[in-house]
Structures are given as structure tokens and as C-alpha cells.
Amino acid sequence: MESFQLDTRLFIRQLVAVAGQSLLVYDYFLTFNYELSYIWDARWTVVKAIFLFNRYGTLVGQSLYTLQQLDLFSTSSPKFCLYFQWYVAFFGILSGESIRILVILRAWAIWGCTYRVVVALTCVYVLYLAVCIGLALLTMVMTLTQPLGLLVMEGTGVCTPRGAPKTWIVPLAGLSLDAFTFVMVAYPLAKRFKATRFRHSPIYRVLSRDAFLFFFISIVTGMLTIVCQTVFVDDPRAQMSMGLGLPLLTVTGQRVVLNLRSLRSQPQSELIVHSSSERRTNTVPSGRDQRWHGTNNPASSHHIEFTHDNLTSFIELSDMKRL
């Protein structure tokens, strides 16, 4: 009876892993044309490098994880499973954090790349990253003190990583970081929501929709991880969040970049970005780039409105304009 329950739990985890892998692969082929048009044809920037690292790193890393969970390359070596547990921990950090960095960069860009904002975002993120790395190292130490035989599921060649105490702190910290980033994106957008021309622009709709969607998905994946790591302790189902949550968060984050870049075909799109009047007076573009609007409006003395072409290069952090 106990063996049957164990097999059932493993089967559930395998189904979840297949669902997550299917979502990742399906979205990859669905957005491949967008990637060719808006990523590979663009010049190399920070955003492009992080995006490609996340896209292909996650695709390969998640595939290896899924294949092992399906017992398609099985092992009877507890030492291999020990290394596999370390791989799962650090792969999750690299994949998830590269997506969060993309979203944080966008939040910084919307605020005009101001010094105070980058300091605030950096401090919050470094604190969060320290928690993630600390608990990942704790997991490594815990596995070294456990009997290695516990890392291989009996009767199979599937590795069963063991959780360390307080691992739910990582997803909780991730939820806090995502909430902070969401506020940093939503505040400047909501502050200018009453501007009719801005409210109906494609840029505003994309920024608002993607910010809400990413935050919603981060809540779902974060809660899934917390439940799996607290309810299913030392249970095969504890890894369900890795199988589904990470692909879901990755796909949503990649869409944030692709959706924004796809608006290049709409040069009339406009966005109002929060900034200081001091920077505005120092950075008025020249020549054909002098397409700034709303400078005669006293109420907008602390805000700058620019067309989509300027916004694209700004948010991608290539040829940045200090606002």
C-alpha cells in the first residue's frame, strides 16, 4: 500500500513536470518568429543578453530536469542525485532571477533611470538574492549530512531532492520582491492614468497588462512553491513547483520583453514617464529626435512624454536617454 502511494505521488510529479515542459516548448515555438524579429535583429544590449540566456538556458535546463523526473535517464547512484539536487537549486535561482532582473530593469527605465530608484531597487534585490543563495547553500550542507540513499526513490532511478528547513522563505521573499517591483511599475503609470491620450495608447496598455499579469503569475507560483515545501515535506510532490512554477514564470517574463518590442511597428504610441524637471532641461534631443510633447503644460513640468521609438531604445537600455 505504501509503495502504491509512493508511485502515485511520483506519477503526479511527473505529470506536472511534463505540463511545465510542454508549456515551455509550446511557447518557444509560438514566439519564435517574434524572437527572430525583435531580439536577434536588434543590437546587443543588456536586455538582449539576459533574455537569450534565460530563454535557452531555461529550455535546456528544464528539459534535463524533466527527463530525469521521467526516468528517461535513470540512475542508481546516490552521489549523482546529490549533485542533481544542487543543480536543481542553482538552476532555479539562475532561471528565475534572470527573469526578475528583466522586469526590474523595465521598472527602472519607467522611472527614468534615476539614481535614487536604482539604489532602492538594487538594495532590495541584493537583500533578496542573499536570502536565496544562503538557503541554497544551506540545502547543500543539509544534503551532505543526510544518508545518500534517501536521495534515490526506491524501485526507480528518479532522484528525490530533500528539502532544507525554512525553504519556504525563498518564495516568500520572491513574492515580496515582486510586489515591490509591481508598485514601482504601477505607481508612475497610475499617476498619469488621467491623461486621456496616454491612457488609450498601446504602450500604456501593454505596460499595465504585463505588469499585472507578471505579478499575478508570481503570486500563483510563489504560493504553489510555499504549499509544496510545507505540506509535502520529504514527499515527491514537493518538487511540483519546480516542474510547473518555473516554466510559468519564465514564459510570462519573456512575454514582457517580446510584447513591448513588438510595438515597434506602432511609431505613434506614446508614454509619459516620471522624471525630474532638472533632467528634462538637460536632455532635450536634437534633430529628427525632437518629438517631445506637452512642454507647454505647467501641470506636466515633472513628466516627459515621448514617442514609442524613443521609449523602445530607452527601455531596452541601449542608447539610453537620461530623462
Side-chain angles (χ1 to χ4, degrees):
M1 184 67 178
E2 183 178 351
S3 176
F4 174 76
Q5 290 179 347
L6 188 62
D7 291 342
T8 302
R9 294 167 186 172
L10 176 61
F11 180 68
I12 293 174
R13 188 175 77 177
Q14 291 173 334
L15 284 181
V16 172
V18 170
Q21 182 69 24
S22 301
L23 173 65
L24 204 60
V25 174
Y26 174 74
D27 189 75
Y28 171 79
F29 287 106
L30 194 65
T31 58
F32 184 69
N33 288 336
Y34 289 93
E35 179 188 337
L36 292 178
S37 301
Y38 307 124
I39 302 297
W40 287 108
D41 287 347
R43 60 180 174 177
W44 282 96
T45 63
V46 174
V47 170
K48 179 176 178 178
I50 296 176
F51 177 88
L52 292 176
F53 169 80
N54 176 270
R55 188 166 175 87
Y56 289 95
T58 303
L59 191 62
V60 173
Q62 192 72 22
S63 297
L64 294 176
Y65 171 82
T66 304
L67 289 174
Q68 212 292 315
Q69 296 306 295
L70 294 177
D71 205 6
L72 294 181
F73 68 90
S74 60
T75 181
S76 58
S77 169
K79 192 172 183 180
F80 172 85
C81 287
L82 174 65
Y83 295 145
F84 181 77
Q85 177 162 351
W86 295 353
Y87 160 78
V88 168
F90 285 99
F91 164 67
I93 292 176
L94 289 175
S95 180
E97 298 322 302
S98 56
I99 278 297
R100 284 192 170 95
I101 289 174
L102 288 175
V103 177
I104 289 174
L105 287 176
R106 188 181 70 169
W108 181 42
I110 290 176
W111 278 88
C113 292
T114 59
Y115 177 76
R116 287 184 300 176
V117 172
V118 73
V119 169
L121 289 172
T122 301
C123 290
V124 172
Y125 185 75
V126 168
L127 179 62
Y128 160 75
L129 194 60
V131 172
C132 292
I133 296 177
L135 283 175
L137 294 175
L138 177 61
T139 301
M140 294 177 62
V141 173
M142 291 292 296
T143 55
L144 291 175
T145 61
Q146 292 177 344
L148 293 182
L150 294 177
L151 297 174
V152 184
M153 187 170 296
E154 184 179 356
T156 71
V158 178
C159 296
T160 307
R162 301 294 179 178
K166 309 296 183 181
T167 51
W168 54 267
I169 295 178
V170 172
L172 183 62
L175 287 175
S176 302
L177 175 65
D178 293 337
F180 178 76
T181 307
F182 176 74
V183 172
M184 295 297 291
V185 172
Y187 177 75
L189 297 179
K191 194 171 183 179
R192 302 304 301 174
F193 178 77
K194 294 182 180 180
T196 305
R197 182 171 50 182
F198 176 45
R199 184 170 65 246
H200 295 290
S201 68
I203 283 287
Y204 174 80
R205 291 197 297 268
V206 169
L207 288 174
S208 302
R209 179 198 64 198
D210 288 355
F212 175 80
L213 183 60
F214 182 83
F215 182 56
F216 174 76
I217 294 298
S218 71
I219 292 176
V220 172
T221 57
M223 294 303 298
L224 175 64
T225 304
I226 292 174
V227 169
C228 289
Q229 294 179 353
T230 54
V231 177
F232 304 125
V233 180
D234 291 334
D235 185 297
R237 291 172 292 180
Q239 288 293 313
M240 288 192 300
S241 59
M242 180 69 182
L244 181 61
L246 185 61
L248 191 59
L249 188 68
T250 298
V251 166
T252 307
Q254 290 175 2
R255 288 287 185 140
V256 168
V257 177
L258 293 174
N259 290 341
L260 188 59
R261 289 199 175 194
S262 67
L263 290 178
R264 282 179 171 177
S265 59
Q266 303 179 33
Q268 298 302 318
S269 303
E270 298 176 345
L271 177 68
I272 300 176
V273 175
H274 179 85
S275 181
S276 64
S277 57
E278 180 179 357
R279 279 195 173 87
R280 187 189 64 176
T281 58
N282 293 331
T283 58
V284 177
S286 60
R288 65 182 180 87
D289 290 331
Q290 288 184 343
R291 295 176 289 181
W292 303 74
H293 309 285
T295 55
N296 294 326
N297 183 6
S300 61
S301 60
H302 294 284
H303 298 82
I304 298 174
E305 184 178 47
F306 55 88
T307 62
H308 174 69
D309 292 338
N310 286 335
L311 174 68
T312 301
S313 61
F314 181 69
I315 289 186
E316 293 170 356
L317 303 181
S318 61
D319 191 25
M320 263 192 300
K321 295 178 173 63
R322 285 288 183 181
L323 298 185

